[in-house]
Amino acid sequence: MKFQRLQKIEDYLSKNGFATTRELCDLFNVSQNTVRRDIDELSSHGNIHKIYGGVMYSESLVDFENRYTTNKEHKLLIAHKAAELIENNDLIFIDSGTTTQLIIQFLHPEKHITIITNNLDVVTAIADHPNIELILVGNRLKRKTHSFIEVDDWSYFNRININKAFMAATGVSLTKGTTNSDMMEYEIKNKMMRKAEHAILLVDSSKFGKTSLVSYASLLDFNTVITDQNCPSEYKNYFKKKQVNVFYV
């Protein structure tokens, strides 16, 4: 599968720093034309850079701890509003991300809910909430994003009902929708929000007008958007025209 090959190429380069085109052809058993197309796609959004003789990896993304503190006040307001939408006995999905993880600290302590998540920080925070049941999705931890990835068997999750999915995004675009920089998170994001009765997007205004490697949903796939007052006017007009329910905190 193309997405899996692209992720494996990026993982290989992140570990080794550099590879020739021929080396990637041999490793992944594909033609030079295929490798060139893969490299072009990866280099257009990610950490992969074409150089003479091959490709190299550089850490261009802001690290997780810095992403956590960027626009922290807006993220807290967004998370607080999201927590207000959670009702007693809800079964919810909380996506990986630095805004979604903040929801836990605003939950009413007497509410009984079940949380499905691949967010490591949500898992840690739930330890202090005896009324919350936890279902973990993903069986391998990606430390760079504090998220669990890879699901070997979706049969269990296909049987359960999700009331609300609280989703994050690396970038939001009118044409590309909600995008993410990690293809290994794509399947979880895509499946979980489509299982949910109500999909809710949590993004601060810095995410608008940006795109990342892969799109996992269109803006109209969301029932509700929670963002801050600095959301660009073109997006406010779009949401109003399309009658998308938006909270500007």
Side-chain angles (χ1 to χ4, degrees), residues 137-155:
V137 57
N139 53 33
R140 181 164 72 89
L141 175 64
K142 185 164 186 178
R143 289 179 174 82
K144 187 170 69 174
T145 56
H146 289 202
S147 62
F148 291 93
I149 56 175
E150 298 182 0
V151 178
D152 293 330
D153 183 6
W154 281 103
S155 61

Side-chain angles (χ1 to χ4, degrees), residues 1 12 14 28 41 47 53 107 130 157 169 176 205 207 216:
M1 186 176 179
Y12 179 81
S14 70
F28 299 103
E41 186 166 348
N47 302 323
L107 287 176
F157 298 100
K176 302 295 184 182
S205 56
K207 303 294 180 64
Y216 75 85

Side-chain angles (χ1 to χ4, degrees), residues 156-201:
Y156 173 77
F157 298 100
N158 290 336
R159 293 194 300 269
I160 62 176
N161 298 311
I162 300 174
N163 303 117
K164 303 177 180 83
F166 294 91
M167 307 302 299
T170 305
V172 179
S173 164
L174 291 177
T175 56
K176 302 295 184 182
T178 50
T179 61
N180 186 58
S181 59
D182 193 317
M183 286 170 295
M184 299 302 286
E185 293 180 0
Y186 166 84
E187 187 177 26
I188 292 175
K189 288 177 180 288
N190 188 274
K191 283 184 177 292
M192 286 297 164
M193 71 167 291
R194 279 159 178 73
K195 281 287 295 183
E197 297 174 6
H198 201 95
I200 304 164
L201 178 63

Side-chain angles (χ1 to χ4, degrees), residues 2-247:
K2 180 182 177 182
F3 283 162
Q4 293 175 336
R5 186 177 69 250
L6 289 170
Q7 183 65 59
K8 287 178 181 178
I9 291 174
E10 184 171 4
D11 287 346
Y12 179 81
L13 290 168
S14 70
K15 294 174 183 177
N16 295 277
F18 172 84
T20 65
T21 303
R22 171 52 61 187
E23 183 180 354
L24 295 176
C25 289
D26 294 339
L27 280 169
F28 299 103
N29 194 30
V30 292
S31 68
Q32 288 194 13
N33 286 336
T34 298
V35 166
R36 290 191 184 101
R37 286 194 294 269
D38 288 350
I39 290 169
D40 286 341
E41 186 166 348
L42 287 167
S43 63
S44 66
H45 298 293
N47 302 323
I48 309 303
H49 301 277
K50 293 184 287 186
I51 60 173
Y52 182 76
V55 288
M56 68 175 291
Y57 182 95
S58 65
E59 190 64 64
S60 61
L61 291 176
V62 178
D63 64 48
F64 188 88
E65 297 304 326
N66 286 333
R67 286 195 289 122
Y68 178 75
T69 57
T70 302
N71 296 320
K72 182 69 176 294
E73 182 179 352
H74 288 158
K75 291 179 179 182
L76 285 166
L77 291 171
I78 292 168
H80 184 271
K81 184 61 184 179
E84 291 180 351
L85 303 181
I86 298 173
E87 301 172 291
N88 200 40
N89 297 318
D90 266 349
L91 197 162
I92 67 174
F93 172 69
I94 298 182
D95 195 10
S96 61
T98 55
T99 302
T100 48
Q101 73 177 61
L102 298 171
I103 293 173
I104 302 301
Q105 64 184 274
F106 297 111
L107 287 176
H108 193 287
E110 295 183 5
K111 284 184 178 178
H112 291 262
I113 62 173
T114 299
I115 293 177
I116 302 171
T117 190
N118 65 327
N119 190 321
L120 173 62
D121 297 287
V122 169
V123 173
T124 303
I126 284 175
D128 296 325
H129 292 261
N131 292 335
I132 297 177
E133 297 293 329
L134 172 66
I135 300 173
L136 182 64
V137 57
N139 53 33
R140 181 164 72 89
L141 175 64
K142 185 164 186 178
R143 289 179 174 82
K144 187 170 69 174
T145 56
H146 289 202
S147 62
F148 291 93
I149 56 175
E150 298 182 0
V151 178
D152 293 330
D153 183 6
W154 281 103
S155 61
Y156 173 77
F157 298 100
N158 290 336
R159 293 194 300 269
I160 62 176
N161 298 311
I162 300 174
N163 303 117
K164 303 177 180 83
F166 294 91
M167 307 302 299
T170 305
V172 179
S173 164
L174 291 177
T175 56
K176 302 295 184 182
T178 50
T179 61
N180 186 58
S181 59
D182 193 317
M183 286 170 295
M184 299 302 286
E185 293 180 0
Y186 166 84
E187 187 177 26
I188 292 175
K189 288 177 180 288
N190 188 274
K191 283 184 177 292
M192 286 297 164
M193 71 167 291
R194 279 159 178 73
K195 281 287 295 183
E197 297 174 6
H198 201 95
I200 304 164
L201 178 63
L202 279 58
V203 284
D204 66 78
S205 56
S206 70
K207 303 294 180 64
F208 289 98
K210 297 180 180 178
T211 60
S212 192
L213 184 60
V214 59
S215 299
Y216 75 85
S218 75
L219 289 179
L220 295 182
D221 289 328
F222 293 93
N223 306 97
T224 299
V225 175
I226 308 177
T227 186
D228 59 78
Q229 295 285 350
N230 295 328
C231 174
S233 59
E234 62 179 315
Y235 287 88
K236 288 183 178 180
N237 293 335
Y238 176 85
F239 292 138
K240 184 177 181 180
K241 180 180 178 181
K242 298 297 183 180
Q243 297 183 320
V244 177
N245 183 40
V246 185
F247 294 103

